[in-house]
Amino acid sequence: MKINCNYENVKKSYLFIEIAHRLREYASAHPEADIIKMGIGDVTLPLAPAVVEAMEKAAAEMGRKETFRGYVDDNGYDFLINAIKGYYAARGVDLDYWEIFVSDGAKSDLGNILDLFDADNTVLVTDPVYPVYVDTNVMAGRRIIYADATEENGFLPMPDRSVKADIIYLCTPNNPTGAAYTRAQLKEWIDYARENGAVILLDSAYEAFVTDSDVPRTAYEVEGARECVIEFCSLSKTAGFTGTRCGYTIVPKTLKAEGDLNAMWLRRQTTKFNGVAYVIQRAAEAVFTPEGQRQVKENIAYYQENARILMNGLDRCGIKYYGGKNSPYIWLKCPNGAGSWEFFDRLLTEANVVGTPGEGFGKNGAGYFRLTSFSTRERTTEAMVRLYKMLNG
Ligand code: PLP
């Protein structure tokens, strides 16, 4: 038996494990410390009432002989697929029923989609990057090249025609930087992908946070996207489903490739995945009802207000930052030229606030730091008061 040696090349310490380790050490030495956690991007608000009601109703159906359900349909239940189809139609995007695949979240599909591609492909990711894109490709032994996301390009790298990439990951609005491509910028990537016969794996996990009118909520608003973009969506941040687990992936039938990627993905999913639970798909369906939309938008507005509190707090401290506007993430430049981990330790020990060192997302994250707006209002406000005190004595 031979193991997959590529696993030896995966970075040993996953970012959040290192954060948890430092946090644990500090907390055990200072049990009295009241620590505010703004590191991991997990939500704090509970599920919307419409979602809970749908879950309860569906759970009761599962307990009755007449309404019990067993194995799930191929790409998801029709009630949810049609709800997603309607969500796209409201933006002028007409998807075919069989282009929509219900998933147990964006992360699984972002990793699993790689089953469709040969190991001999060059993968392009931005730096800094959501680590999953890198780790999943390292595990499969693929070549990875990086496009620098820096202050100079507003953390939105554009395609370089002298570079040949086959699989391109774009995350917009971006985790960790909060930067979001405009329609015109995304069009440039789509043009590049079409010229190169490449595929764009577009992570749209934060689309619900978009506020700027020139930032697309889906890539399919942009001409040419149906030829080269697979879009990964999640209800985790949109509707607080981080622990409930549901998302959807759009694999157009019109993708240009040597094979039919849509048919391959259906084949892959029906072979290796047995679908998302009925109760959860009913819960997801409720997100797309008018009442569900009103309720989840209220929760998003709550986080957006937290982002404004963070931005105001950073302004008051004279700290430069990016993101926050179309995103729950704020990407700040560590004050006084501090390194990311240095700032992490100082913020933890002096202000008892935990964030995420930018360096953990790639070399261009050095000297930057990520805060999330997913905390409660009180804790978000308190974190900014503590930061001000820490910097101003
Ligand atoms: N993509 C990005 C960019 C994320 O930040 C996250 C979660 O933090 C995910 C995907 C994972 O989404 P899901 O919870 O749907 O698996």
Side-chain angles (χ1 to χ4, degrees), residues 87-95 172-173 181-184 186-187 190 194 202 204 207-208 210-227 229 231 250 252:
Y87 186 66
Y88 274 86
R91 304 212 180 102
V93 174
D94 182 27
L95 295 178
T172 178
Y181 284 111
T182 62
R183 268 180 208 88
L186 197 54
K187 174 82 170 66
I190 288 167
R194 288 161 84 194
L202 193 125
S204 199
E207 62 86 10
V210 169
T211 54
D212 284 346
S213 58
D214 61 346
V215 171
R217 298 278 297 264
T218 159
Y220 305 115
E221 287 179 25
V222 181
E223 189 229 323
R226 293 189 55 94
E227 284 181 24
V229 177
E231 186 162 278
I250 312 301

Side-chain angles (χ1 to χ4, degrees), residues 49-71:
V51 169
V52 176
E53 196 184 312
M55 277 170 117
E56 286 172 349
K57 187 164 165 272
E61 281 178 44
M62 293 297 276
R64 281 195 305 272
K65 194 168 184 301
E66 308 74 47
T67 47
F68 169 77
R69 311 257 187 153
Y71 284 121

Side-chain angles (χ1 to χ4, degrees), residues 70-134:
Y71 284 121
V72 174
D73 294 343
D74 291 338
N75 54 337
Y77 282 113
D78 54 0
F79 56 78
L80 179 54
I81 305 238
N82 284 323
I84 296 165
K85 200 166 156 21
Y87 186 66
Y88 274 86
R91 304 212 180 102
V93 174
D94 182 27
L95 295 178
D96 182 85
Y97 183 93
W98 290 96
E99 292 178 323
I100 302 165
F101 294 82
V102 173
S103 71
D104 62 351
K107 193 179 189 172
S108 330
D109 276 13
L110 281 159
N112 294 336
I113 198 81
L114 295 172
D115 274 11
L116 309 193
F117 306 107
D118 195 282
D120 185 22
N121 274 304
T122 300
V123 175
L124 181 116
V125 300
T126 59
D127 173 348
V129 64
Y130 176 55
V132 170
Y133 315 149
V134 174

Side-chain angles (χ1 to χ4, degrees), residues 41 104-108 110 130 133 171 175 203 205-206 233-237 242 245-246 329:
D104 62 351
K107 193 179 189 172
S108 330
L110 281 159
Y130 176 55
Y133 315 149
C171 178
N175 177 12
D203 187 340
Y206 299 98
C233 302
S234 167
L235 295 182
S236 286
K237 310 300 160 69
T242 51
R245 310 304 310 146
C246 195
Y329 295 117

